[in-house]
Amino acid sequence: MKRLFTGLQPSGDAIHIGNYFGALKPFLGLYEGYESLLCVVDYHALTTIRDPEVLRKNTIHVAKAYLAVGVDPSKAIIFRQSAVAAHTELAWIFECLVTVPFLMQSHAYKDKTAKGLEATAGLFNYPMLMASDILLYDTDIVPVGKDQEQHLEYARDVAGKFNRSYSKIFKEPETHIQKEVAVVPGIDGEKMSKSYKNTIPLFAPEDEVRDAIMKIMTDSDATIPQNVHAIHSLFKNSSELDSLYSENKGNYKFLKDALANDLLEYFSDARKSYNTLSDSKVETILKEGEERANSIAEAKMREVRKAIGVR
Ligand code: ADP
Ligand code: TRP
């Protein structure tokens, strides 16, 4: 069976409906056809988070979100990156193979430091840790958003360099870019994103979800509120929406209530499941995943250590 690997950073705030349509839902459609690994990459998030409690909570939140939307833990290996020491070990080995100018080409590094993120060596080496995540498991495909394309090229490049420098140990993975995934707009009409504070959270209490929807910006010309309509179209087909919106032109409160009801209905099972999953249940699942991931990663590391001449 081919292997799929994807990583999610437990950074930032709560999972929102943009994350659902852009990442969770596509993963659900794909993962059962592969031996799938879903890794909560907490060491990557260490490039932005310095509060241990926040990092712990976000890690559980992200894993719980995947379980709540329907990922079956018996069909995917769900685990924390920090629980498999081989990820950081292999990253060091890769860092000794690549050059500073090569890493300097990273768009993500340039963007993040331009936005004011501290230029730590960890942030600079980020692509090598990500390459380790992927290559440790002989991954065939990596489903990610378009912004991760260069990171996948880094992974293929370092795999090739290792294979040429030592012996042919690593498989060069295929990127699976989810082009078809539309950008979900936020409550201000821009891309929904944690960093823009314009999200509709997926698992927040009902009143918070409704409040976020009530805050969707609307034009004042008493016609069809485009921002509300755009989000609503994720939940209802266009013929149903057309009549609803033309019959209720200008009645923003009514249309927002209708959107809130449809959204809550659509996510009803996921939200129930999120609220019934205890943190300790998630910990148990992460622990099981960690054991399975470790056994694959350790076998690979034995080959790697032998190839490079360390113990
Ligand atoms: P955010 O922009 O909120 O920080 P992340 O960068 O952590 O989100 O993205 C996590 C995943 O969710 C990625 O696969 C990304 O492509 C997807 N995603 C995030 N926001 C959106 C959106 N508005 N529309 C579609 N997909 C999104
Ligand atoms: N860099 C990815 C992101 O920001 C997260 C990530 C880390 C990842 N390791 C990975 C994604 C391995 C896919 C495979 O979204």
Side-chain angles (χ1 to χ4, degrees):
M1 209 172 188
K2 287 202 169 189
R3 210 172 260 160
L4 175 154
F5 186 103
T6 198
L8 318 146
Q9 283 204 62
S11 52
D13 274 340
I15 295 281
H16 53 75
I17 65 164
N19 298 139
Y20 177 78
F21 289 101
L24 278 70
K25 192 165 176 246
F27 180 82
L28 278 172
L30 198 64
Y31 84 105
E32 289 184 72
Y34 296 87
E35 181 180 17
S36 292
L37 293 110
L38 188 56
C39 181
V40 188
V41 292
D42 47 359
Y43 269 133
H44 277 116
L46 199 61
T47 56
T48 52
I49 300 183
R50 285 220 179 122
D51 180 330
E53 221 23 70
V54 169
L55 189 52
R56 262 192 290 274
K57 269 173 89 173
N58 286 355
T59 301
I60 296 291
H61 174 66
V62 169
K64 203 185 269 189
Y66 270 77
L67 293 165
V69 299
V71 175
D72 178 346
S74 69
K75 294 184 183 154
I77 302 177
I78 307 175
F79 71 108
R80 275 188 180 86
Q81 183 187 37
S82 61
V84 180
H87 290 241
T88 43
E89 181 182 356
L90 184 59
W92 172 255
I93 297 166
F94 287 159
E95 281 152 28
C96 293
L97 269 176
V98 298
T99 66
V100 170
F102 174 71
L103 287 177
M104 202 79 96
Q105 291 160 19
S106 163
H107 308 311
Y109 178 75
K110 284 187 247 178
D111 291 350
K112 286 176 182 171
T113 49
K115 282 195 190 122
L117 204 59
E118 199 180 357
T120 60
L123 191 63
F124 187 67
N125 290 326
Y126 184 111
M128 292 302 104
L129 181 57
M130 179 158 163
S132 310
D133 298 340
I134 297 165
L135 300 177
L136 258 178
Y137 299 94
D138 294 325
T139 300
D140 295 285
I141 81 154
V142 185
V144 280
K146 179 124 185 73
D147 59 328
Q148 298 298 313
E149 202 161 16
Q150 192 191 27
H151 282 151
L152 267 294
E153 279 163 27
Y154 270 121
R156 281 191 291 271
D157 285 349
V158 77
K161 190 153 192 197
F162 185 101
N163 291 346
R164 287 188 302 279
S165 309
Y166 295 105
S167 51
K168 201 168 178 325
I169 284 184
F170 292 111
K171 192 182 245 182
E172 293 185 24
E174 212 184 284
T175 313
H176 185 278
I177 303 273
Q178 292 155 346
K179 287 199 195 67
E180 70 283 7
V181 175
V183 174
V184 176
I187 60 172
D188 56 357
E190 300 297 315
K191 173 192 181 284
M192 186 177 290
S193 172
K194 284 169 291 205
S195 9
Y196 304 155
K197 307 258 176 263
N198 64 354
T199 69
I200 301 175
L202 192 47
F203 298 111
E206 182 172 332
D207 55 341
E208 280 178 38
V209 174
R210 287 185 182 274
D211 276 356
I213 291 172
M214 286 304 152
K215 287 189 189 129
I216 298 176
M217 280 184 202
T218 45
D219 327 313
S220 50
D221 61 357
T223 55
I224 289 177
Q226 293 307 328
N227 292 341
V228 184
H229 186 277
I231 299 173
H232 213 157
S233 65
L234 297 164
F235 307 102
K236 269 216 148 74
N237 65 41
S238 60
S239 59
E240 286 173 301
L241 278 192
D242 287 350
S243 51
L244 183 71
Y245 278 70
S246 56
E247 282 160 23
N248 295 284
K249 266 193 192 142
N251 194 349
Y252 296 165
K253 166 89 173 63
F254 178 85
L255 291 168
K256 286 178 175 177
D257 275 333
L259 165 59
N261 294 340
D262 288 336
L263 183 150
L264 288 164
E265 166 70 25
Y266 184 93
F267 290 119
S268 157
D269 288 348
R271 288 169 53 82
K272 266 192 215 120
S273 166
Y274 184 89
N275 289 321
T276 48
L277 269 167
S278 66
D279 290 3
S280 65
K281 172 81 183 155
V282 178
E283 279 293 357
T284 308
I285 290 168
L286 288 171
K287 193 102 189 77
E288 281 162 13
E290 160 186 339
E291 278 164 29
R292 293 163 70 196
N294 247 314
S295 72
I296 305 171
E298 258 317 301
K300 194 76 193 170
M301 281 314 293
R302 279 194 288 275
E303 280 182 70
V304 174
R305 293 185 199 113
K306 186 159 180 251
I308 66 172
V310 300
R311 193 168 130 76

